């Protein structure tokens, strides 16, 4: 009797403890222990609370896709290799739309549920912290791209008359495969894409074999063997004219254009080669195994630096934008941001690369570009928007690009050309294939220059007014 009573008292105290929010006495409470085992629905980016997921880290995606442009139907099987960062009774994947028919974990059927863009998976047995596991998701349906008319436009897997235009920044990967859709979790990718014969499927990296045709369908297999963020993954499908070869510097090069842009194929091929090779001398060795570009007949209103294959949306790209998208292969793709608020580390650097390209070609100087922006009146919107803190509701604001680039030019002026260009190379080599923050860049700039640069970075990146010179 006594002991039963005591057990009841302990149980009551435990329950009350679990309900109260007071400081922990160190003993794990049952309710806490349970909730600690569910992976968080977001990776921890406060600006995008449900993007990505907590509790695990993906190392590889194998995406087996079938797409029929006529019916706009995508059939997919995603096999995801990951490591549990905590014990997991369940975890989430990001997926928008589709009907999920089957989910397994390590070969055993798992239960799953859907809520908004979250697919919650409960493995048959909990996963132990540190264990490697494989999730397989079978899904099908008509992809629903993201449409953000006020800001980001249309992005994700976008059906076109002859295929699909696939550009996913910032969080459109979920419109065509389940995953950990946030740049903080990078992984390698294999793609096996089956499309009607006569249609080409272009994904990241390189073909791993010859396309196979049978029964009126062709299967393309691509592999990106270097870590990649989900938003840089692509499976752009359609009728394309191709030109393949290697750059003078020895990097495999593939240009692909929609027949409507057939006249720009050679120009895209040559400029992509020349620019990739040139950036290799300025930013350090090219980080991937191939380069190139794709022009599709879809007027996205933007281009995207898809890893190894930038995608240009419905226009013939000139040298400036090719220089921009290829600079992203270092800044954004090899070195990726940990949080979206640091987006200037991608866009400011890629914009500065455009200025450097003009300098290289003798058609302008970075200093002239800087001055033309600096002359803008005090009430111009780039002074009100500090680029060091990209806003979730206006991520790609012009300031993140132009004032981001001006920040680098101001830094160059403060530390001198020699240190500045050494800094760019050190930055890309120290963090190759990794994840970075603004604080890390500032620290490296200070270390390499031996200068206190807080005031400079604060004025350029964080103050809502035009910095004084
Ligand atoms: N990173 C791209 C560029 O600067 C822009 C992507 C914009 N994305 C979007 N959904 N509008 O080239
Ligand atoms: Zn860019």
């Amino acid at each position: 009797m006594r002991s039963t009573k005591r057990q009841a008292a302990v149980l009551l105290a435990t329950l009350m403890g679990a309900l109260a929010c007071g400081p922990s006495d160190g003993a794990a409470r049952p309710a806490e222990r349970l909730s600690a085992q569910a992976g968080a629905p977001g990776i921890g980016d406060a600006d995008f609370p449900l993007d990505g997921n907590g509790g695990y880290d993906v190392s590889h995606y194998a995406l087996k896709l079938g797409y029929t442009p006529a019916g706009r139907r995508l059939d997919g099987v995603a096999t995801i290799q990951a490591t549990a960062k905590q014990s997991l009774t369940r975890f989430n994947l990001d997926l928008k739309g589709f009907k999920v028919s089957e989910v397994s974990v390590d070969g055993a059927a798992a239960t799953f549920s859907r809520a908004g863009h979250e697919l919650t998976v409960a493995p048959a047995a909990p996963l132990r912290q540190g264990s490697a596991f494989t999730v397989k998701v079978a899904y099908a349906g008509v992809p629903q791209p993201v449409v953000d008319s006020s800001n980001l436009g249309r992005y994700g897997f976008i059906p076109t008359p002859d295929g699909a235009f696939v550009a996913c920044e910032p969080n459109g990967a979920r419109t065509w495969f389940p995953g950990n859709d946030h740049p903080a979790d990078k992984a390698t990718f294999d793609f096996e894409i089956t499309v009607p014969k006569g249609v080409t499927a272009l994904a990241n990296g390189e073909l791993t074999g010859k396309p196979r045709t049978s029964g009126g369908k062709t299967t393309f297999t691509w592999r990106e063997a270097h870590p990649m963020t989900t938003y840089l993954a692509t499976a752009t499908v359609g009728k394309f004219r191709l030109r393949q070869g290697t750059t003078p510097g020895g990097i495999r090069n593939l240009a692909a254009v929609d027949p409507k842009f057939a006249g720009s194929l050679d120009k895209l091929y040559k400029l992509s080669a020349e620019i990739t090779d040139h950036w290799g001398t300025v930013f350090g060795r090219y980080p991937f195994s191939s380069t190139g570009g794709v022009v599709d007949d879809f007027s996205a209103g933007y281009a995207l630096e898809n890893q190894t294959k930038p995608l240009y949306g419905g226009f013939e790209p000139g040298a400036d934008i090719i220089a921009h998208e290829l600079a992203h292969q270092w800044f954004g793709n090899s070195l990726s941001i940990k949080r979206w608020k640091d987006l200037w580390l991608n866009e400011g650097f890629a914009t500065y690369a455009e200025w450097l390209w003009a300098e290289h070609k003798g058609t302008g100087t970075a200093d002239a570009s800087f001055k033309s922006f600096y002359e803008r009146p005090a009430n111009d919107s780039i002074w009100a928007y500090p680029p060091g803190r990209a806003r979730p509701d206006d991520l790609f604001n012009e300031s993140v690009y132009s004032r981001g680039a001006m920040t680098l030019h101001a830094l160059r002026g403060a530390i001198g050309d020699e240190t500045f260009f050494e800094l760019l190379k050190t930055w890309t080599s120290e963090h190759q294939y990794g994840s970075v923050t603004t604080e890390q860049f500032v620290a490296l700039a200070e270390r390499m220059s031996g200068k206190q640069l807080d005031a400079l970075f604060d004025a350029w990146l964080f103050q809502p007014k035009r910095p004084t010179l």
Side-chain angles (χ1 to χ4, degrees), residues 60-75:
H60 186 73
Y61 293 91
L63 305 177
K64 189 173 173 178
L65 309 170
Y67 187 63
T68 44
R72 301 189 156 199
R73 185 184 158 92
L74 181 72
D75 279 272

Side-chain angles (χ1 to χ4, degrees), residues 3 21 65 80 82 129 169 184 247 255 265 288 293 308 316 322 327 341 376 378 384 387 399 401 407 423:
S3 84
C21 303
L65 309 170
I80 304 167
Q129 180 176 3
E169 192 180 20
T247 71
L265 179 62
F288 307 121
T308 70
E316 182 180 325
I322 296 174
K341 67 183 170 68
R376 289 194 180 183
S399 170
Y401 288 71
T407 303
L423 168 64

Side-chain angles (χ1 to χ4, degrees), residues 305 324 328 347 401:
E305 62 267 25
H324 178 111
H328 273 308
E347 301 304 345
Y401 288 71

Side-chain angles (χ1 to χ4, degrees), residues 237-314:
V237 172
K239 295 220 157 70
F240 286 104
R241 302 277 164 82
L242 306 181
R243 184 170 167 187
Q244 300 178 72
T246 53
T247 71
I251 299 162
R252 275 180 278 180
N253 185 17
L254 169 62
V257 301
D258 184 283
K260 190 181 159 189
F261 295 92
S264 64
L265 179 62
D266 289 341
K267 182 178 158 197
L268 174 68
Y269 179 84
K270 285 184 196 145
L271 280 173
S272 299
E274 183 190 356
I275 293 169
T276 302
D277 284 349
H278 178 64
W279 287 154
T281 70
V282 180
F283 304 142
R285 190 179 66 79
Y286 184 67
F288 307 121
S289 302
S290 62
T291 187
V294 178
V295 180
D296 199 2
D297 181 20
F298 172 76
S299 300
Y302 59 84
L304 182 65
E305 62 267 25
N306 287 341
Q307 195 150 306
T308 70
K309 283 178 193 66
L311 178 57
Y312 304 93

